[in-house]
Amino acid sequence: MAPSQSSIVSRPRYHHLLAAIVLLAAGCAAPATDLPPRAAQSFPDGWRFPAGTLQPAAATNAMITSDNRIATEAGLEILRQGGNAVDAAVATGFALAVAYPEAGNLGGGGYMVIRMADGRTAAIDYREVAPLAASRDMYLDENGELTDRSVVGYLASGVPGAVAGMAAALERYGSMSLEQVMAPAIRLAEDGFVVDSALHRSVSNDSALIARFAGASVFLPDGHPPAVGSRLTQPALARTLRAIAEGGADAFYDGWPADSLAADMARNGGIITKEDMGRYEPAWREPVRTDYRGYSLISMPPSSSGGVTIAETLNILEPHGDLPAPGSAAYISLLAAAYQRAFMDRNEKLADPDFVQVPIEELTSKEYGERLYSTITPERWTATPDVARTIREGMETTNYAVVDSMGNAVATTTTINSLYGSGVYISAVGIFMNNEMDDFAAQPGKPNQFGLVQGEANAVQPGKRMLSAMSPTIVLDPSGELLLVVGSRGGPRIITGTSQIILNVIAHRMSLADAFGAPRVHHQALPDVLVHEEGGLAPEVATALREMGLELSVGSNGLPNGIMRVDGGWHGMVDPRGDGGGLAAGY
Ligand code: DON
C-alpha cells in the first residue's frame, strides 16, 4: 500500500486522559450543559410509529448504534475494555464485515467523521477508486447504450478502501492495536455466529444474485440460505482478518489477499490489478462545517456529496427562521424545494476533489443559501428545469455511531453499494466486492440505479473516487457540546433522511425517538417527484401539495441510526423501519 498520511502523524494520547479527568471531575459522562426541552409531536392519523411511542436505548456513559446487533455488541465490548470511540468504531466496522455481509465489508469503502472530546475534528475518506484500466464509456455497449455492467459482475467494482481507511483512523485517533479491535471480528469469522432471521431473510431476498458467483458456497450451502439458529463460520474471511490484524493494511493491499483478488479479477474479465491495490490510499480531509440556528454541523466533504448537500439544504432553510409545523404542506413543500435546489448542485457540480474543482465554499455559504431561498415560491412548485434556469441566471450501505465515556464521537457510513455489492465473491479472501462504479455517471445525463441524473464532473476516470451521498454527521449544540451523531443508508435518501433527523432534533425539538419515528420525504431534483412514505402524509396535506404542482409517489426513505445527548447520558436509536437486526446499546 502506498504510504498514507496516517503513517506520518501520530497524535499524543494524553488528550484522552485530560478529557477523561475533566469529565470525571464534573462527575458525569455526558456534558452537563442545559438541553432545550423536547416538544410533544403529533404525526398523521394511522402513521405506523405514532409520536411518543418509540423507546430509545438509554445509557449513562457510552452508546453505540449500528444496523447489526452482533456488530454493536463487538463495539460495546471494546468500549467496556476501555477503548475509545474510534477503537469501538473500527471494531464495529470489522464485525459488520463478518456478521452483516449485505453491507458490512472489506470489499467496499466508506467515510468516518470524528470529533474528539478535546475539540479536534477529522474526516477520513476511504471511498473506492476507479481501477487504472477504467474509462469513461466502459459501461456502454457497441450502440452506445448503457449496460448493467456497472451494477453486476466483475467490472462493477472500484478498488476497495475499507481496510486502509479503518486502519488509518485507528492509527491516528485510536488507543488500541488492530489486533485488539479486530479480535471480536476474528472470533466471529472463525468460531461463527448464530444466524438470525434478519440475515436469513436478507440472503433469501438476494439469493439469485449471490448464486451467480462464488459466495453461494458460503451463504447458500445446499442451495439455501443458512437456517435461522444455525452457526455460520467464514474460514477464508477469518484468515484475511488475521493477516490484517498481524500485518496491518499493507498485508491486505500488498500481500496474498491482493494477489488472490487480482487473479480472480483477471480470470473473470475484471480489471482491478495488484497495482491498483498497492496504490490505494485513504485521504484525510477537512470536514464540511456549517451552522444552522446556532448549532454546528461537522460532516463529510467530497468525495461524498453528503456534507455539502446537507449544509446547502440547511442554509436554504435558515432564512425562513422558524419552520412551519412538521407534516404540514407548507413545511414539506419548503423542504422539497430546498432539497431540489441542493441536489441540482450536487448532481452537477460535486465529484472527487482530486479531479474536479468543487466550489465547496460557495455552495455552503450563507449568501448562496439566501439567494436560493429567494427563488422558492411558497404557493407554487417550480419544476426542476425551470429552477435550473432561475439559478443559472445568477441499496446498500450501513451507518454506525459511537460516543464513548470521554465524549469522543464517531459517525461512520460504509458500503458496497447494492446489497451484496456486485454479487462477486472472492472466495480465497472471503469477501463480497462492491458495485460502487455505478455511483459514477456511467453515462452523464442518464439515471443510475438510484435514478440520480449526474453530470460530466462525475464521469468515470481512472484513479477517481465516484461521488457518494454518504453523510456521517456530528452536531454540536450552541454551547459547543456534542449533541447528535447520525448517518444513514439509502443512496441519495441518505442525505434527505439524515438531514430530516437533524431538522427534527434542532428545529422541531423532537425527542430522538420521535425524530426517527417521524414520517420523512425525499426529493432529488430529478426525477422531479416528492417521495413520501405510505401513511406519512395526511390526506389533506397530499391534496394541498398536488395543488401546488408537486408530483407525489410512495417510497421508502433511508435507514438512519444515531445517538443524542440527553440529561444524564445518551439516547440511541436505530431506525424502526429496519429489519429488526439493528441495535442501539450502551452502558
Ligand atoms: O455512496 C453512495 O451514495 C451509495 N453507494 C450508497 C448506497 C446505499 O446507501 C444503498 N443502501 N441502501
Side-chain angles (χ1 to χ4, degrees):
M1 196 182 72
S4 69
Q5 295 174 52
S6 61
S7 55
I8 302 165
V9 185
S10 164
R11 296 270 180 174
R13 305 277 192 239
Y14 57 79
H15 291 294
H16 308 316
L17 199 60
L18 203 63
I21 292 166
V22 170
L23 289 173
L24 283 176
C28 166
T33 53
D34 285 342
L35 288 161
R38 300 284 129 196
Q41 303 294 322
S42 85
F43 300 154
D45 286 346
W47 171 241
R48 55 202 284 229
F49 310 116
T53 57
L54 293 173
Q55 286 304 317
T60 322
N61 296 291
M63 178 67 74
I64 176 161
T65 60
S66 89
D67 288 330
N68 180 267
R69 176 183 57 80
I70 294 170
T72 294
E73 285 166 355
L76 197 54
E77 178 181 328
I78 295 298
L79 287 175
R80 285 187 189 278
Q81 287 171 13
N84 70 15
V86 177
D87 299 322
V90 175
T92 302
F94 280 109
L96 283 165
V98 183
Y100 197 56
E102 67 178 59
N105 66 81
L106 306 186
Y111 302 95
M112 188 181 286
V113 174
I114 299 170
R115 182 187 184 260
M116 302 303 281
D118 61 13
R120 283 176 295 155
T121 59
I124 184 161
D125 173 340
Y126 47 100
R127 182 71 158 168
E128 302 90 329
V129 300
L132 291 170
S135 57
R136 183 184 184 282
D137 295 332
M138 64 186 278
Y139 298 113
L140 306 187
D141 66 14
E142 49 291 351
N143 302 318
E145 297 295 326
L146 196 52
T147 66
D148 72 352
R149 292 194 295 258
S150 66
V151 180
V152 182
Y154 279 82
L155 279 177
S157 302
V159 182
V163 173
M166 288 194 285
L170 187 76
E171 185 173 347
R172 191 176 280 198
Y173 288 100
S175 69
M176 288 179 160
S177 68
L178 260 181
E179 275 178 310
Q180 283 172 296
V181 302
M182 290 180 71
I186 293 171
R187 200 176 60 224
L188 290 164
E190 256 167 20
D191 302 345
F193 60 90
V194 176
V195 172
D196 65 3
S197 55
L199 177 59
H200 178 82
R201 216 172 20 249
S202 161
V203 173
S204 292
N205 291 342
D206 277 289
S207 56
L209 177 67
I210 295 169
R212 285 179 63 177
F213 303 97
S217 64
V218 178
F219 295 99
L220 297 168
D222 312 320
H224 299 290
V228 175
S230 65
R231 184 165 281 274
L232 179 67
T233 56
Q234 297 173 72
L237 179 55
R239 268 194 308 280
T240 306
L241 291 168
R242 271 206 184 280
I244 298 166
E246 284 160 17
D250 288 351
F252 183 75
Y253 289 92
D254 296 329
W256 63 263
D259 287 324
S260 298
L261 193 153
D264 204 337
M265 285 276 154
R267 272 195 304 276
N268 292 287
I271 55 172
I272 298 179
T273 61
K274 184 84 189 289
E275 185 186 356
D276 282 310
M277 293 293 285
R279 288 166 67 112
Y280 186 83
E281 246 189 293
W284 288 101
R285 303 204 188 272
E286 207 37 55
V288 168
R289 287 178 165 275
T290 194
D291 291 340
Y292 175 68
R293 306 183 79 176
Y295 292 76
S296 306
L297 272 68
I298 304 159
S299 191
M300 198 64 217
S303 63
S304 182
S305 62
V308 170
T309 313
I310 290 178
E312 188 173 332
T313 302
L314 298 188
N315 285 340
I316 297 170
L317 293 175
E318 195 165 39
H320 194 89
D322 285 340
L323 293 175
S328 64
Y331 177 56
I332 291 169
S333 60
L334 175 65
L335 191 58
Y339 285 143
Q340 180 193 35
R341 284 154 179 76
F343 266 89
M344 287 170 62
D345 282 332
R346 178 218 182 266
N347 297 344
E348 196 171 318
K349 297 178 185 156
L350 298 190
D352 182 344
D354 296 340
F355 284 72
V356 172
Q357 179 79 22
V358 182
I360 296 185
E361 282 199 8
E362 184 200 333
L363 294 178
T364 59
S365 76
K366 295 287 176 198
E367 298 70 36
Y368 187 60
E370 273 171 38
R371 187 153 81 76
L372 293 189
Y373 174 71
S374 73
T375 67
I376 297 175
T377 45
E379 308 304 329
R380 183 175 48 78
W381 182 252
T382 311
T384 295
D386 297 335
V387 177
R389 273 193 289 282
T390 318
I391 292 175
R392 292 209 179 91
E393 278 153 22
M395 240 162 45
E396 308 303 317
T397 303
T398 193
N399 183 74
Y400 47 106
V402 190
V403 174
D404 67 22
S405 63
M406 293 169 282
N408 302 308
V410 176
T412 306
T413 317
T414 183
T415 190
I416 44 177
N417 202 14
S418 302
L419 288 177
Y420 302 96
S422 64
V424 168
Y425 182 81
I426 311 291
S427 295
V429 189
I431 59 173
F432 281 104
M433 291 298 292
N434 68 81
N435 62 348
E436 225 72 68
M437 293 296 280
D438 192 61
D439 277 350
F440 279 119
Q443 191 174 28
K446 290 277 164 58
N448 72 356
Q449 66 167 330
F450 297 113
L452 279 171
V453 180
Q454 308 177 96
E456 200 59 53
N458 189 31
V460 182
Q461 283 177 268
K464 186 178 180 183
R465 287 165 153 85
M466 55 297 284
L467 186 63
S468 172
M470 290 187 272
S471 310
T473 300
I474 295 173
V475 180
L476 310 181
D477 72 13
S479 67
E481 299 288 3
L482 180 63
L483 177 68
L484 190 64
V485 185
V486 66
S488 180
R489 73 195 265 172
R493 292 156 202 221
I494 291 173
I495 293 171
T496 46
T498 303
S499 55
Q500 279 166 82
I501 300 289
I502 294 169
L503 285 165
N504 287 348
V505 165
I506 296 180
H508 302 305
R509 294 189 296 110
M510 293 188 194
S511 66
L512 190 67
D514 279 346
F516 274 75
R520 292 193 287 269
V521 294
H522 173 77
H523 201 290
Q524 61 182 41
L526 290 175
D528 192 351
V529 171
L530 180 80
V531 180
H532 65 91
E533 297 179 277
E534 181 86 61
L537 288 185
E540 65 279 11
V541 170
T543 304
L545 291 169
R546 283 199 189 91
E547 280 168 2
M548 288 177 196
L550 274 140
E551 186 182 334
L552 306 187
S553 92
V554 170
S556 65
N557 276 324
L559 206 66
N561 59 65
I563 299 170
M564 185 170 89
R565 182 164 59 86
V566 294
D567 283 332
W570 308 98
H571 278 177
M573 281 295 291
V574 294
D575 198 285
R577 296 156 182 79
D579 60 8
L583 179 68
Y587 74 93

